[in-house]
Amino acid sequence: MSRIVTLLAALIALAAGFAVYNFWPEEKPEALVYEPPRALKSFKLNSTADGAIENEALKGQWTLLFTGYTFCPDICPTTMSDLKGVLPALQEEVSEPVKVWMISVDPQRDDIERLTQYVNYFGDDFVGVRAEHKELFPFVRDLGLMYSIPDEGEENYLVNHSAAIILVNPNGHRKAIFNADHQRGEVPVVSMDQLKKDFAIVTD
């Protein structure tokens, strides 16, 4: 009798394991995924593509947002170039357009003309976004990102800012955060290989 009970227990355990294997996702993203996606607070910014924009500008597309500035010596140009390279592969995963928003965190030097020249170098799917600190800071903070503000009167400075990339879904809601790799002696940027894998999972 005990052997029958043991055999039944083993079969139940095997069946349970089979069920978990079949219904649990084969891969989990390394990105932080919002379930459900989170709405953004109302914002008013300026765009190199559409002039004055509000939340509606994020709808109908998948948008990758990151903070940067045109005088940035390392993280920003590297991230922009990397995104340009991976964008075609991301577009194959979804039917909606995939856009990149570079949110300038240097309103003192990045006027709309300078920002337009910068993002246009990377292609039509790249958009520059800016605002004065009063409107910009709450927007960046709502995304879960940060940046530093230079001292008044300072002209030659670096802006410390987040290197993560935010994914916004076609409803205009935050879907995921792709965090940067921080390796000693290297520029902290998001791995495009990992972003591509995670993008395929979270947009499925």
Side-chain angles (χ1 to χ4, degrees), residues 116-130:
T116 299
Q117 291 179 352
Y118 188 85
V119 297
N120 283 354
Y121 174 80
F122 296 96
D124 295 338
D125 295 318
F126 289 77
V127 176
V129 175
R130 75 171 303 281

Side-chain angles (χ1 to χ4, degrees), residues 1-180:
M1 184 68 176
S2 59
R3 290 182 179 180
I4 295 175
V5 172
T6 301
L7 180 60
L8 286 174
L11 289 173
I12 291 170
L14 181 63
F18 180 79
V20 170
Y21 178 82
N22 279 276
F23 292 105
W24 194 262
E26 291 184 9
E27 276 192 282
K28 285 187 176 181
E30 289 190 10
L32 171 62
V33 181
Y34 293 110
E35 290 293 356
R38 297 184 183 178
L40 289 170
K41 295 178 181 178
S42 297
F43 62 80
K44 293 183 179 181
L45 308 169
N46 290 309
S47 160
T48 59
D50 300 308
I53 56 169
E54 299 183 11
N55 298 62
E56 197 71 19
L58 287 168
K59 294 184 177 179
Q61 64 190 39
W62 289 93
T63 314
L64 297 161
L65 300 88
F66 77 101
T67 52
Y69 63 113
T70 63
F71 286 88
C72 177
D74 40 36
I75 295 174
C76 308
T78 300
T79 300
M80 292 285 275
S81 296
D82 288 348
L83 285 171
K84 181 179 181 179
V86 79
L87 212 55
L90 302 184
Q91 188 61 76
E92 291 179 0
E93 298 291 340
V94 292
S95 57
E96 301 88 353
V98 181
K99 302 290 183 180
V100 176
W101 279 20
M102 175 180 151
I103 306 160
S104 172
V105 290
D106 188 12
Q108 180 173 310
R109 295 180 293 186
D110 283 350
D111 57 27
I112 203 71
E113 290 78 17
R114 180 178 178 85
L115 196 55
T116 299
Q117 291 179 352
Y118 188 85
V119 297
N120 283 354
Y121 174 80
F122 296 96
D124 295 338
D125 295 318
F126 289 77
V127 176
V129 175
R130 75 171 303 281
E132 297 304 315
H133 289 301
K134 182 179 179 181
E135 295 80 25
L136 178 65
F137 187 79
F139 174 65
V140 172
R141 182 176 56 190
D142 189 36
L143 291 173
L145 304 177
M146 57 73 65
Y147 68 94
S148 64
I149 300 175
D151 294 333
E152 187 175 351
E154 196 171 0
E155 295 182 359
N156 297 314
Y157 54 86
L158 297 175
V159 180
N160 294 319
H161 61 90
S162 303
I165 297 173
I166 307 295
L167 177 65
V168 174
N169 69 18
N171 293 321
H173 297 166
R174 284 174 295 171
K175 178 64 178 179
I177 298 179
F178 306 105
N179 287 308

